[in-house]
Amino acid sequence: RLATAPSGEKAEEMQSVATEGKGEGTRGQAKATEAPKKEKKETSYAKAEKKIKSPMDMGKLKASVAQARILAFINDVSKQIHGLVLSEMSAKDAPEPLQKLCASLEEMRQWMKDIPPIKQPMRYGNKAYRTWHQKLTEKAKDMVAPILGDDLQQKGGLDEVLPYFLGSFGNPTRIDYGTGHELNFLAFLCCLSHMGRIDVTTHGRYIALVAFNRYMSVMRQLQTLYWLEPAGSKGVWGLDDYNFLPLLWGAAQHACPRGTKPTSPLQATTPAAIHTSDAKSLEKDSMYFTAVAFVCSVKTGPLAEHSPILNDISGVPSWNKVHSGLVKMCVTRYFSVFRGQTTTTTTLIRTTPKITRNHPEITRKITRKITRKITR
């Protein structure tokens, strides 16, 4: 249309507007300022509902807004933590919602002292964990409500995010824990970001190195106290029986932004450092080294025998390549495995996109484009 020349009255009208536009201003600009602004639609919330009910539904998740939002959230946080160390991060400096989340996690840690494991013949799956989880179920609303604030509670935000929070700490029936539960906590943090309670572009360092790291600390204590079964373990062919994100964000700590040189001691290390004497000293500063140390503490034998994939990663020449490889693996680890009892969806993390609802090929292209952008 722009290439078609106007004629008649329309041409004269356009010429007069162009003539009047010379000098102090144009009529078009004046009209633009007078145009009424579109009212921003207020976000509505709904109770979380299970959408992934069978392996056949996994295609919906792969071509959905949910996957795109979570991958973008992981990527945005990764950009904020290059070169930063855990020991220099404090919950006191975090935004208020994350401070309250950390306080709730510490309260959960205290429950473990009040609910010791019971004596039983089986090593794994101590039944005292069910008592601990029952207490979590009873207290969850009171914990999440202050994190959201009064305004979001009145709009129904609590009902929407509560299932993600409850699904983050293992399954009381099977007495197990795995990456599906970790994904729930990640979705909970992602929801807080979309609700406006935290800003991923400015609070990314606190999301990963304070809130998520505190969550990992509580979960590792929970795993070793009650010996939760690893959910969906792949044995020696798995990266980690319980977690994935600490390795990805840990690698992001060591990675350098493209075109820059190392500016911190973490960035000066190499993946092979897990086999050196420096590994112990790096545990307090790096989520990656902390995760590897935990794996070695719960398994016996050399790393090359019980975790060959982790061992192979140490041979990668740079942290940037480790991070990009883990991002690719993230899609497989999080979005290609059917998790019958851990996957829920809400209006914030939905399985069906609004605009491309009837165009699965378009949504697949969008997901591939986002994945390529993240791995660059």
Side-chain angles (χ1 to χ4, degrees), residues 77-78 81 84-87 89 182 204-217 220 240 243-254 266 274 279 282-295 310 319 326:
V77 172
S78 296
I81 60 177
L84 299 182
V85 297
L86 294 172
S87 58
M89 303 300 297
E182 178 187 78
R205 61 180 63 187
Y206 301 110
I207 292 171
L209 305 182
V210 174
F212 185 78
N213 189 56
R214 186 72 58 89
Y215 163 75
M216 286 309 310
S217 175
R220 283 169 183 149
D240 183 355
N243 301 105
F244 177 81
L245 197 55
L247 295 167
L248 192 155
W249 275 343
Q253 284 181 268
H254 293 272
L266 284 186
I274 63 172
L282 287 168
E283 289 176 20
K284 69 179 187 304
D285 291 328
S286 166
M287 281 201 293
Y288 188 92
F289 281 82
T290 305
V292 173
F294 179 74
V295 171
L310 274 179
W319 286 109
L326 289 174

Side-chain angles (χ1 to χ4, degrees), residues 195-224:
M195 286 174 153
R197 293 298 290 162
I198 52 177
D199 183 1
V200 68
T201 58
T202 55
H203 302 149
R205 61 180 63 187
Y206 301 110
I207 292 171
L209 305 182
V210 174
F212 185 78
N213 189 56
R214 186 72 58 89
Y215 163 75
M216 286 309 310
S217 175
V218 171
M219 286 312 306
R220 283 169 183 149
Q221 187 174 343
L222 198 67
Q223 291 160 30
T224 53

Side-chain angles (χ1 to χ4, degrees), residues 61-75:
L61 182 61
K62 290 181 181 180
S64 68
V65 173
Q67 177 169 319
R69 282 184 172 179
I70 291 176
L71 287 175
F73 182 79
I74 293 172
N75 183 47

Side-chain angles (χ1 to χ4, degrees), residues 163-164 167-171 174 176-187 215 231-232 241-244 333-335 337-344:
Y164 289 124
S168 304
F169 300 93
N171 185 285
R174 301 189 303 269
D176 65 3
Y177 173 82
T179 52
H181 303 99
E182 178 187 78
L183 177 59
N184 270 280
F185 191 76
L186 177 62
Y215 163 75
D241 284 343
Y242 294 107
N243 301 105
F244 177 81
R333 189 68 169 163
Y334 278 157
F335 303 104
V337 181
F338 173 62
R339 310 176 193 278
Q341 298 186 21
T342 58
T343 307
T344 55

